[in-house]
Amino acid sequence: MSYEPEFSSTVYPNFGTSNPSRPLPRAHFRPRGLYNLALADELESLDPIVDSKTTKRREDDQYDSYIILSFVNSTLVLSIGETIEEVQDTGFLSSAP
């Protein structure tokens, strides 16, 4: 397998900013085939998200207040604010999907 040369701004004087009016030499490359890849988007999950939605606390609120994630065996409610935190007392039945 032949490797392409590696280009870095450090090989140019002043990181390529010594003469801004003069363009840097062009870097050319040949696309190569993909290798050493794992298909991460096809990995099985032990607890996949079945559904998700966001909702407001009141209808006239400007922004959503909660993220609701439905899993196969449970439901998780997260509050949205400065931080995102799990809500413990939601009124939702969280032990069923």
Side-chain angles (χ1 to χ4, degrees):
M1 175 185 313
S2 65
Y3 290 97
E4 298 283 331
E6 187 173 308
F7 294 94
S8 170
S9 60
T10 58
V11 299
Y12 299 104
N14 293 327
F15 300 103
T17 61
S18 63
N19 186 354
S21 63
R22 206 172 94 212
L24 295 173
R26 292 182 185 242
H28 299 278
F29 66 96
R30 282 185 305 275
R32 60 173 172 73
L34 302 176
Y35 64 93
N36 196 21
L37 296 177
L39 295 175
D41 62 337
E42 293 185 13
L43 294 176
E44 296 271 338
S45 175
L46 296 176
D47 199 9
I49 295 176
V50 176
D51 193 16
S52 66
K53 63 182 172 182
T54 60
T55 185
K56 297 178 181 182
R57 187 171 296 166
R58 290 179 294 279
E59 187 177 345
D60 59 344
D61 285 348
Q62 183 177 3
Y63 300 106
D64 289 329
S65 301
Y66 299 103
I67 300 172
I68 302 168
L69 302 173
S70 296
F71 297 95
V72 173
N73 295 322
S74 66
T75 300
L76 179 65
V77 179
L78 305 172
S79 66
I80 305 169
E82 291 294 319
T83 61
I84 297 177
E85 298 177 358
E86 183 177 355
V87 178
Q88 298 299 324
D89 185 22
T90 63
F92 286 106
L93 176 61
S94 60
S95 60

